[in-house]
Amino acid sequence: MKTHHVVPHGDQWAVKKGGSSKPIAVVPTQKEGISIARPISQNQGSELFIHRPNGQIRDRDSHGNDPKNSKG
């Protein structure tokens, strides 16, 4: 599954596609990073991982084919 990440980047925050070292965007705050990453993740049906300043995963949002969210 495709992933996107909001990660610490020096004293700023980066939005990255999973597996890529090059940031999509670098912004001053985590909140700004999330506001950029969430629509990208929704559009591409990917999993969004939001990291803490120490690099640990703080939160995650699934925008792909999550069976828990399917109606049936």
Side-chain angles (χ1 to χ4, degrees):
M1 172 179 246
K2 293 185 276 187
T3 62
H4 287 86
H5 300 259
V6 178
V7 296
H9 187 77
D11 60 349
Q12 297 183 313
W13 290 86
V15 176
K16 293 185 177 183
K17 184 175 182 178
S20 176
S21 59
K22 183 179 177 186
I24 295 169
V26 177
V27 293
T29 67
Q30 185 185 52
K31 186 176 181 177
E32 287 177 87
I34 294 167
S35 69
I36 290 169
R38 185 163 278 131
I40 293 170
S41 180
Q42 289 170 337
N43 183 48
Q44 295 189 13
S46 69
E47 188 110 8
L48 174 61
F49 291 90
I50 301 164
H51 296 256
R52 296 182 187 278
N54 67 3
Q56 289 182 322
I57 295 171
R58 180 191 102 183
D59 201 5
R60 67 192 275 184
D61 290 335
S62 179
H63 298 112
N65 296 324
D66 188 347
K68 292 185 281 184
N69 292 333
S70 63
K71 296 179 181 177

